[in-house]
Amino acid sequence: MLITHDTRCSLDTVVDLVNTAPEDETADGLADVPHLADFVRKHEISDVGVLSTDDLASVHRIRARFAAIFAADDPRTSASLINELIATAGTTPRLTDHDGYDWHVHYFAPGASVADHLAADCGMALAFFVVAGEQERLRRCEAPDCRRAFVDLSRNRSRRYCDSRTCGNRLHVAAYRARRKEAAG
């Protein structure tokens, strides 16, 4: 599957957005407007203006909708959720070459809110996966104590953990120790 630079950036953004949601005892990664401003800067989200508490509330709602897409069991459900998401964002595809970047497509209208920007660009990135028959690549970590979102970009669709160095390694070490303990009797 060919993934353009813009699509990859949008995928990274949506995964990071979904993973800011508080789970169990973790804090909300977008707890306030300064956190949202940091998120916008980190992901180089352009043309969003001055952020407010209304923007924060809208991004929280969009984040929950993206989480539902990652939880969807089938392409039809994903497609329905993505269609609703990008329709409410007022998707307006346009070519642009701002800030030193070559020509690329933005799917949000000029002057759109940060939530509409995220819904349009990130929603379209996820839509490309459904269109390509690759919806199953939108996953949650299989580590029992994790559940972070990620996009499996491995060649054979075999990635199971959000990070093989932490979640994957921790589970492999635990399984190894259990086998050793069982063998020692």
Side-chain angles (χ1 to χ4, degrees):
M1 174 176 188
L2 176 65
I3 300 173
T4 65
H5 176 265
D6 297 332
T7 300
R8 179 61 192 257
C9 290
S10 292
L11 291 171
D12 291 344
T13 300
V14 72
V15 164
D16 285 353
L17 177 63
V18 169
N19 289 334
T20 64
E23 298 216 8
D24 299 327
E25 291 141 27
T26 62
D28 190 332
L30 293 178
D32 53 28
V33 175
H35 282 100
L36 178 59
D38 288 343
F39 183 87
V40 166
R41 257 188 310 283
K42 175 184 174 190
H43 292 284
E44 298 179 359
I45 301 170
S46 61
D47 195 27
V48 294
V50 177
L51 299 171
S52 69
T53 55
D54 289 341
D55 289 315
L56 181 64
S58 295
V59 169
H60 283 174
R61 285 190 296 276
I62 292 297
R63 177 177 66 187
R65 294 176 82 179
F66 278 123
I69 294 166
F70 275 84
D73 290 331
D74 61 275
R76 185 164 305 284
T77 302
S78 292
S80 176
L81 293 168
I82 292 168
N83 283 339
E84 291 171 18
L85 185 68
I86 60 178
T88 59
T91 307
T92 309
R94 63 189 169 97
L95 287 169
T96 183
D97 67 342
H98 63 88
D99 299 328
Y101 293 104
D102 205 0
W103 289 104
H104 59 282
V105 179
H106 280 263
Y107 295 97
F108 59 93
S113 70
V114 66
D116 285 347
H117 179 129
L118 290 168
D121 276 2
C122 296
M124 289 303 299
L126 296 179
F128 296 141
F129 274 77
V130 174
V131 167
E134 301 286 354
Q135 181 259 339
E136 75 276 359
R137 289 182 181 265
L138 309 177
R139 298 192 175 158
R140 291 288 188 155
C141 184
E142 290 183 20
D145 60 339
C146 185
R147 306 303 299 152
R148 290 176 58 86
F150 69 94
V151 178
D152 179 3
L153 297 176
S154 67
R155 186 177 299 230
N156 62 356
R157 298 173 190 87
S158 62
R159 188 170 160 199
R160 298 174 51 206
Y161 307 110
C162 64
D163 186 346
S164 62
R165 290 180 309 245
T166 54
C167 291
N169 192 43
R170 187 176 65 247
L171 288 176
H172 289 121
V173 168
Y176 171 78
R177 288 181 179 157
R179 285 191 308 273
R180 298 279 297 183
K181 184 177 180 181
E182 185 178 309

